[in-house]
Amino acid sequence: MSRRIVLALAALLATTGSLHAQTAPPAWIARSNADSQILLDQIARFSPEFASQVGVSGYDDKVADLRPGVDQRSRAALVAAKAKLQTLLAAERDANVRQDLQILIKATAGQIEGIDLNRKYLLPYTDVGELVFSGEFSLLKDDVAAARRPSALKRLQCYVGKAPGCTPIAEQAKAQTLARLGDKALLGPYKGEVEQKLANTPRYVEGIRQLFAKYKLDDAQGKAALDALDAQLQAYDGWVRRTVLPRARADFRLPEPLYAYNLRQVGIDIPPQQLMEQAQLEFVELQGMMQVLAPVVAKAEGIDATDYRDVLKALKKQQLGRDQVEPWYHQVLGHIEDIIRRERIVTLPQRKMQMRLASDAEAAQVPAPHMDPPPFINNHGEQGTFVLTMGNPSSDGSQSKAYDDFTYKAAAWTLTAHEGRPGHELQFAAMVERGVSLARSLFAFNSVNVEGWALYAESEMLPYEPPAGQFAALQARLQRAARAYLDPMLNLGQITPERAKQVLMHEVGLSDALATQEINRYTYDSPGQATAYFYGYLRLQQLRLQTELALGPKFDRLAFNDFVIGQGLLPPEQLAEAVRTQFVPAQRKR
């Protein structure tokens, strides 16, 4: 199973379990979750880091399987899991469990297809520094039980081959690449990707050292393991420069079947050309809306400008210092929560939302603001955390390229609505609080639905924000529309990265650092994924309108929004079916 798939599954499964369920779930959910365990067990076999991140006992000191034949072994395990699930489906009579089994079978088939496509087209290459940092960071956090943290040393010792039965993970990764290096038909990794990953390695090593010092694991054994990691990663990166870089490709574009697979996996179910046309129209419409609002914002903020681009530049000058970011975001969050309650937008939990700034190593791993998920299994009240990033580490080591996109005052409104409340933080917690099955909270996931809700949450808050906040919200939506046409255009060879970056900087108004990160995202970090935001928002707004038309005066926004996030991470068609067959009939009876 590819590292990217495992990381995505880990993050999303973990986010579904931030709190204990508030009410007892229906009996069928326990049966469905037992079925999901069949697939979950197979994933955990090949990525123990994933298992420990979501709270499964017994995996904290184990590491990823990169031994020879891992693709064949993981594929065989998935095929076996799929066969078991199909047998269960044939005998199952409960409609809900049957739907979940169908979700699990589809998810398994998608993972098998991903393995096959990657083996057919791509030379295997592992970013070992990122793999190790991710495995260590999942155990070394303030909200992880203290009793689990010593396993981080045991895991590190296994990573570097200082534990019984463990071969250094860097050697395994090297052997995995060498085994297929002679196949000239395979595409090497994109050169820019390799260079960025090599530049990130020192940040990961330093990040792990800081974590070991913070949690007092840097005794003699800890230092020996850390020094071994440093030496092994330096040797591995030297080998990558000598062996992998010469095979790296200059063209970032994936083979068309792989890009098409990526689009399907994130939930895009229309042709790329149709997606681009819809997004381009939305982009132009949003530019017009921003231009109309620009003079209003300029007057309210004392800005001497009328063009939306110049107004945005002026707003960005209202930068917050590092020690001011969290207090300001918490202040804005308070206003947002008051609005949500007053306007009856969605049901809020009683607990407070957690927020913090990212470390340099975290920023290298995930450059954009994001939710850091809690464990799912054996959760004792741990919560997710809204993580803000302050910069975009560059491949040349430059420290000059800092974001100004998230640390100006007006941006806090829409970013808090997206990542925090009523966006991801509330969405993820609700899935467990309201008793959603694993199949629907994890294996039915696609980015279209999860990111669609976050953009929808932004739009729900927009009418009640101050003019500058509304302006920043429109600019954020402009960025998502740009993603939905630039990502496919880049990957279909219809625009150059240089021209796409110009659009992002001059028309959308992104900083050089964020525009660079966006281009990296479209070209090699996650080709296709960025299109999901716009399309998910479009599909959810269409569903909202269809529901309003069906219910007329009986439409209740609070009830609709609570129902939607209570369904888990369902794809648009399944969500629409649930609204049509469950929500609408129930509301008509009120």
Side-chain angles (χ1 to χ4, degrees), residues 283 286-287 290 307-317 319 402-408 411 471-472 474-480 482-483 485-486 499-516 518 522:
F283 187 86
L286 285 166
Q287 282 185 302
M290 291 185 69
D307 185 86
Y308 81 86
R309 301 164 188 83
D310 295 328
V311 172
L312 180 62
K313 289 177 183 177
L315 284 177
K316 283 190 170 187
K317 293 179 180 179
Q319 288 291 311
Y403 289 140
D404 64 6
D405 306 89
F406 311 123
T407 50
Y408 69 100
F471 191 77
L474 291 176
Q475 188 252 359
R477 199 185 302 173
L478 186 72
Q479 177 186 352
R480 278 56 166 269
R483 286 173 169 176
Y485 71 82
L486 291 177
R499 179 64 187 120
K501 185 176 178 180
Q502 288 175 352
V503 172
L504 292 171
M505 291 184 65
H506 299 296
E507 302 302 322
V508 180
L510 303 187
S511 66
D512 187 306
L514 183 56
T516 298
E518 286 285 298
Y522 311 159

Side-chain angles (χ1 to χ4, degrees), residues 43-192:
I43 297 172
R45 281 177 56 192
F46 297 96
S47 181
E49 296 95 337
F50 160 78
S52 63
Q53 183 177 349
V54 302
V56 181
S57 301
Y59 289 93
D60 284 357
D61 59 346
K62 296 177 174 58
V63 305
D65 182 354
L66 298 185
R67 292 172 295 156
V70 63
D71 285 345
Q72 294 87 340
R73 286 182 284 110
S74 59
R75 188 186 192 283
L78 289 168
V79 169
K82 182 182 175 184
K84 289 181 182 179
L85 295 169
Q86 289 172 324
T87 300
L88 291 171
L89 178 61
E92 185 57 60
R93 295 294 174 263
D94 184 279
N96 288 309
V97 180
R98 284 185 61 83
Q99 184 184 32
D100 281 8
L101 282 165
Q102 290 165 345
I103 289 169
L104 292 168
I105 291 167
K106 181 179 179 181
T108 308
Q111 292 178 37
I112 293 169
E113 183 185 7
I115 291 172
D116 291 344
L117 286 169
N118 277 280
R119 279 195 64 82
K120 180 178 179 179
Y121 291 106
L122 301 180
L123 178 71
Y125 161 61
T126 301
D127 181 3
V128 177
E130 191 278 333
L131 188 157
V132 175
F133 174 76
S134 178
E136 295 299 310
F137 184 54
S138 66
L139 295 171
L140 298 178
K141 300 179 183 180
D142 290 343
D143 58 359
V144 171
R148 296 179 61 195
R149 292 178 192 147
S151 293
L153 173 57
K154 295 179 180 178
R155 175 173 282 172
L156 184 60
Q157 289 172 327
C158 189
Y159 279 133
V160 299
K162 290 185 176 294
C166 295
T167 301
I169 197 74
E171 290 185 17
Q172 294 183 46
K174 179 179 175 180
Q176 193 177 54
T177 302
L178 286 172
R180 307 200 69 201
L181 193 64
D183 188 342
K184 301 303 182 182
L186 296 176
L187 290 174
Y190 173 54
K191 182 180 179 182

Side-chain angles (χ1 to χ4, degrees), residues 209-232:
R209 286 189 182 276
Q210 290 172 358
L211 291 171
F212 268 54
K214 177 179 179 180
Y215 295 107
K216 303 187 186 308
L217 296 175
D218 56 346
D219 57 10
Q221 286 187 316
K223 289 178 180 177
L226 289 166
D227 290 344
L229 176 68
D230 195 353
Q232 289 175 15

